[in-house]
């Protein structure tokens, strides 16, 4: 189904048309193979970078496209509708550029053209094996050693681990809690920075995340991003924007599930007529389509608040919560519409069902989103 979109400029319409063409030409024919092999599609991302899709929300003077988030999230939605792994990679890379773009020194910002152009792929190393939702409790430690920091610890679930050219390493340089955390920018070839074996995932297998072990990894002090012991603020601000990216991925995935289930229901016949004509199926499809539209509206509202420079953190949490729960429900229903055919890999709804689950977990679990929203309401 063609989504009727209200976009701010003719340029934005052209950009979304380009994204749709790239998705058809560069992604659709590759997704099944890469997902089956669990291989990260680095060259595909380079292609998207050369097409300008990896730096959309960043300023033109650093090689970005200066697009509003309202447009950027709709690009992610289109990509996710064809290949969620690619859309998530674009979202994570955009997130990984944020610390340097917003808080970096002039020397660090000189790297931005290669970052936003996709020649340098980024990773965001916040989570740890024993510290996911409790990000402020991270234990990776950085100790000053002359003009360097020596960093020791383990990071977990790192998208682009072993593939990235640079890593945002969030580590403890001060006391306990959020006020003792700093952000360091590490090159992939940093001695002592060691990506581990790729995780074996239920879905989103081409994402290929892994742990990062740091053993006295030597990172120059001039790679400190922002002020020392102020890294937690950087991490949380980045995640506010990242949640919009994940919500967009959820909307795109669910839209494809609705479209596929609808087309199948119009062709599949039982009792002498298409199953779409039965009220039980028709009402299910109507609810699925309505939920996708509602999630898209929440997402675009939060994105427009961000573009206007207004507080958007709580609305981003609502969008991420609703959109990802919606995607799980919609893909489950899409499998049900197809019946037994939905449970085999001949149809993509089986893959979308497996992929939707992770969206309820990444960039802050949906339980954390509910906590954030509730505290904003009650003053907790």
């Amino acid at each position: 189904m063609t989504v009727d979109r209200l976009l701010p400029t003719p340029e934005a319409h052209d950009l979304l048309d380009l994204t749709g063409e790239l998705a058809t030409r560069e992604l659709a024919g590759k997704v099944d193979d890469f997902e089956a092999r669990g291989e990260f599609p680095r060259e595909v991302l380079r292609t998207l970078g050369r097409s300008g899709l990896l730096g959309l929300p960043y300023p033109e003077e650093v090689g970005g496209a200066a697009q509003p988030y309202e447009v950027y999230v709709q690009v992610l939605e289109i990509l996710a509708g064809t290949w969620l792994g690619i859309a998530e990679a674009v979202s994570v890379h955009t997130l990984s550029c944020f610390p340097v773009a917003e808080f970096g020194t002039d020397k660090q910002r000189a790297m931005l053209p290669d970052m936003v152009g996709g020649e340098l792929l980024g990773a965001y190393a916040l989570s740890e094996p024993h510290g996911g939702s409790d990000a402020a409790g991270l234990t990776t430690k950085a100790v000053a050693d002359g003009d360097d920091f020596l960093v020791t610890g383990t990071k977990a679930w790192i998208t682009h681990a072993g593939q990235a050219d640079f890593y945002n390493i969030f580590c403890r340089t001060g006391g306990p809690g959020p006020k003792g955390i700093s952000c360091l920018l590490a090159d992939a070839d940093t001695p002592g920075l060691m990506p581990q074996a790729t995780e074996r995932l239920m879905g989103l297998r081409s994402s290929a995340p892994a742990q990062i072990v740091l053993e006295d990894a030597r990172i120059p002090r001039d790679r400190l991003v922002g002020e020392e012991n102020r890294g937690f603020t950087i991490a949380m601000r980045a995640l506010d924007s990242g949640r919009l990216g994940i919500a967009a991925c959820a909307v795109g995935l669910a839209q494809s599930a609705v479209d596929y289930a609808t087309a199948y229901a119009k062709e599949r016949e039982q009792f002498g007529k298409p199953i779409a004509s039965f009220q039980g199926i028709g009402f299910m499809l109507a609810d699925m389509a309505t939920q996708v539209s509602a999630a898209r509206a929440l997402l675009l509202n939060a994105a427009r608040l961000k573009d206007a420079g207004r507080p958007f953190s709580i609305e981003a949490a609502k969008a991420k919560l609703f959109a990802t729960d919606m995607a799980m429900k919609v893909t489950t229903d899409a499998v049900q519409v197809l019946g037994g055919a939905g449970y085999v890999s001949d149809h993509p709804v089986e893959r979308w069902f497996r992929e939707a689950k992770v969206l309820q977990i990444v960039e802050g679990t949906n339980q954390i989103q509910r906590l954030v929203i509730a505290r904003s309401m009650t003053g907790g």
Side-chain angles (χ1 to χ4, degrees), residues 37-333:
R37 290 186 285 117
E39 180 181 336
F40 183 74
R42 183 66 180 93
E43 288 306 313
V44 176
L45 281 174
R46 283 198 176 93
T47 298
L48 296 184
R50 291 170 189 141
S51 300
L53 298 190
L54 295 189
L56 290 175
Y58 293 108
E60 292 177 342
E61 57 264 28
V62 297
Q67 289 294 318
Y69 251 72
E70 174 188 0
V71 174
Y72 162 65
V73 295
Q74 293 183 81
V75 168
L76 287 180
E77 178 190 336
I78 292 170
L79 294 174
T82 300
W83 189 348
L84 179 62
I86 286 291
E88 190 241 11
V90 173
S91 180
V92 169
H93 177 73
T94 302
L95 173 76
S96 300
C97 295
F98 176 86
V100 170
E102 290 292 318
F103 298 93
T105 63
D106 289 343
K107 181 178 179 181
Q108 292 165 0
R109 286 172 59 84
M111 299 172 61
L112 278 172
D114 284 337
M115 288 179 171
V116 302
E119 291 305 312
L120 296 178
L121 184 67
Y124 190 82
L126 177 62
S127 294
E128 298 184 354
H130 301 290
S133 295
D134 183 16
L138 64 82
T139 60
T140 295
K141 190 170 182 62
V143 178
D145 184 52
D147 292 333
D148 302 321
F149 288 102
L150 293 179
V151 185
T152 299
T154 302
K155 294 297 179 178
W157 310 111
I158 307 305
T159 301
H160 305 160
Q163 300 288 339
D165 300 292
F166 68 92
Y167 294 82
N168 295 283
I169 307 291
F170 291 91
C171 50
R172 191 160 301 284
T173 50
K179 294 183 179 179
I181 294 170
S182 295
C183 177
L184 300 177
L185 183 67
D187 293 329
D189 60 1
T190 298
L193 189 157
M194 298 172 289
Q196 303 300 293
T198 299
E199 303 287 357
R200 299 170 63 186
L201 302 181
M202 175 194 297
L204 205 66
R205 291 168 182 162
S206 65
S207 176
Q211 290 191 352
I212 298 289
V213 171
L214 301 124
E215 293 184 356
D216 284 336
R218 186 173 291 275
I219 303 174
R221 180 173 282 275
D222 65 7
R223 288 299 192 90
L224 173 68
V225 181
E227 297 178 30
E228 189 168 339
N229 298 327
R230 298 295 298 273
F232 191 74
T233 298
I234 297 174
M236 294 302 102
R237 282 191 55 188
L239 286 176
D240 283 342
S241 300
R243 285 165 183 157
L244 296 180
I246 296 303
C249 289
V251 171
L253 187 74
Q255 183 67 64
S256 285
V258 171
D259 293 346
Y260 197 92
T262 301
Y264 182 90
K266 289 162 71 175
E267 292 182 3
R268 170 71 168 168
E269 291 191 359
Q270 291 289 279
F271 307 103
K273 52 184 171 181
I275 62 172
S277 66
F278 294 108
Q279 195 173 74
I281 297 295
F283 279 12
M284 186 182 294
L285 295 172
D287 285 345
M288 292 161 68
T290 301
Q291 292 292 297
V292 174
S293 293
R296 184 180 291 113
L298 269 177
L299 168 63
L300 292 177
N301 177 62
R304 288 164 181 153
L305 287 172
K306 174 176 169 56
D307 291 335
R310 295 170 60 182
F312 73 98
S313 176
I314 302 305
E315 297 309 309
K318 291 176 183 176
K320 194 272 181 182
L321 167 63
F322 186 86
T324 57
D325 279 353
M326 174 278 299
M328 190 72 255
K329 178 66 165 63
V330 164
T331 54
T332 301
D333 287 347

